[in-house]
Amino acid sequence: MADLFVALIHHPVLNRNGRIVTSAITSLDLHDIARSAHTYGVRAMYVVHPVAEQRAFALRVLDHWRLGYGRLYDSRRREALDLVEVVEDLEAALKAAEVLAKAFPLLVYTSASASGGASYRELRSKVENIEGPPIMLMFGTGFGLAPAMRERADVVLDAVCGPAEYNHLSVRAAASVILDRLAGR
């Protein structure tokens, strides 16, 4: 399997009105996406946030589970959260992944509204290619990644779609579905 990375992006993302904003970090996203990432063999998960106070919040949550009472309470959660690194921007995440993988990652844009991009079958074949480049999946918080992130990506992944018109999964749920489709047995 190619090295797989996750970037949870908090800026630039969209709000419900389509304006570019910076969203807040939630502890549920940290826990749940890290657990899914660990389950599916992700090498590292980067929490990307430009605001120092938000990064400090994320580090306090992580420290509770890595070093504090949470470490004794649930060691499996600590194991998953050990994958998480908090960084200021996407560039820092890409550089960190490049160091781990010894190659620059292919950047994949995900969105609830993406269409006409790569299918899950196409991207899964890249994930299964151990000779291929590392892959970083970008997940947007708020109401999804800003258009500039799509332009930055090497690959646009088709949206996760259910049988009905409604399509508004939490980023935690979408990340789990996508990781299962790309790396599940």
Side-chain angles (χ1 to χ4, degrees), residues 15-171:
N15 69 8
R16 71 180 69 248
N17 300 315
R19 293 185 53 219
I20 295 174
V21 297
T22 302
S23 63
I25 293 173
T26 69
S27 61
L28 286 174
D29 287 348
L30 300 180
H31 292 276
D32 290 351
I33 297 172
R35 289 161 52 189
S36 294
H38 190 47
T39 298
Y40 290 102
V42 170
R43 290 271 322 258
M45 173 185 158
Y46 301 100
V47 176
V48 180
H49 206 294
V51 178
E53 291 84 357
Q54 284 287 298
R55 293 193 308 274
F57 164 75
L59 290 172
R60 281 193 307 275
V61 170
L62 295 170
D63 284 350
H64 171 78
W65 292 98
R66 291 175 177 165
L67 308 170
Y69 173 74
R71 177 185 178 119
L72 300 172
Y73 180 75
D74 188 347
S75 63
R76 291 171 302 159
R77 187 167 302 193
R78 186 198 83 237
E79 186 178 335
L81 290 170
D82 281 343
L83 294 176
V84 180
E85 184 176 337
V86 181
V87 297
E88 185 174 353
D89 56 28
L90 181 60
E91 294 310 316
L94 289 166
K95 286 178 187 172
E98 182 179 21
V99 168
L100 279 176
K102 297 179 178 49
F104 197 78
L106 186 73
L107 194 56
V108 178
Y109 172 91
T110 68
S111 168
S113 61
S115 62
S119 70
Y120 288 90
R121 180 172 289 148
E122 290 170 304
L123 190 55
R124 184 179 177 103
S125 72
K126 292 181 187 309
V127 170
E128 290 175 339
N129 181 359
I130 60 172
E131 300 296 321
I135 296 166
M136 181 176 287
L137 301 168
M138 291 188 293
F139 293 103
T141 57
F143 281 75
L145 294 164
M149 301 304 277
R150 182 179 179 132
E151 295 166 14
R152 174 81 196 286
D154 300 305
V155 175
V156 173
L157 186 61
D158 282 341
V160 172
C161 294
E165 291 299 313
Y166 186 85
N167 192 18
H168 189 65
L169 293 172
S170 69
V171 69

